[in-house]
Amino acid sequence: MSRAHRDNPGQPSQRQLRVGELVRKELADILSRGQLRDPALDGLVITVPEVRMTPDLKVATCLVMPLGGQKADQAVAALNRSAKYLRGQVSRRMTMKYMPDLRFVLDTRFDDDDRIGRLLHSDTVRRDIEHDDSDD
């Protein structure tokens, strides 16, 4: 086991990050060229902000988001239906001994950030902060 991996348990290794970025790049290229024909994806522009690899590099979890957030659940379902086809297309473009299985999930990081921001600016949190400051 590498020294860097032992120092940061739970963090992805450099290899996981590198392979994830390669898969993300190829997948984004395939989706942008319109090589996937699915009626649920007609007229949608799909972005792939991140691909997370498991430590054994056998499963790639692809975070996807349709531009504008329209029909997000339908887009994820369509991509999961086409996962085998997309895996084959990505494997033709990459030289790996084993091509990971692709799993698609909706990227909700921005929604989570907005929700946390609203919570931090809410009256109850502001009241608690002011109450803690007066105790000092």
Side-chain angles (χ1 to χ4, degrees):
M1 183 178 267
S2 72
R3 179 182 153 126
H5 191 66
R6 281 182 280 139
D7 292 341
N8 298 320
Q11 296 293 320
S13 68
Q14 195 66 30
R15 186 172 183 202
Q16 285 174 274
L17 295 172
R18 187 176 65 241
V19 171
E21 182 58 24
L22 289 172
V23 171
R24 186 204 67 78
K25 178 188 165 293
E26 296 302 334
L27 192 58
D29 189 48
I30 290 167
L31 292 173
S32 69
R33 292 180 187 264
Q35 294 179 353
L36 182 61
R37 303 281 183 228
D38 193 311
L41 299 175
D42 284 345
L44 290 178
V45 177
I46 307 291
T47 59
V48 185
E50 184 179 356
V51 173
R52 296 177 182 163
M53 302 297 298
T54 56
D56 61 359
L57 302 178
K58 297 217 181 218
V59 177
T61 302
C62 308
L63 301 176
V64 295
M65 176 57 90
L67 202 59
Q70 306 165 359
K71 303 179 186 176
D73 295 332
Q74 293 175 1
V76 170
L79 289 169
N80 279 315
R81 279 194 308 268
S82 303
K84 286 185 180 182
Y85 171 77
L86 289 169
R87 178 181 181 226
Q89 293 298 312
V90 172
S91 69
R92 287 188 183 97
R93 296 166 169 241
M94 295 178 63
T95 54
M96 288 182 65
K97 186 174 184 178
Y98 181 84
M99 186 61 203
D101 290 330
L102 301 177
R103 296 189 182 148
F104 296 93
V105 296
L106 190 61
D107 183 15
T108 60
R109 293 179 295 178
F110 296 115
D111 296 336
D112 295 340
D113 292 345
D114 289 341
R115 184 180 56 81
I116 290 170
R118 283 194 308 273
L119 284 172
L120 289 174
H121 290 89
S122 70
D123 292 334
T124 55
V125 172
R126 189 175 295 120
R127 184 186 63 224
D128 290 343
I129 291 172
E130 289 171 0
H131 179 44
D132 288 344
D133 289 342
S134 64
D135 289 344
D136 291 340

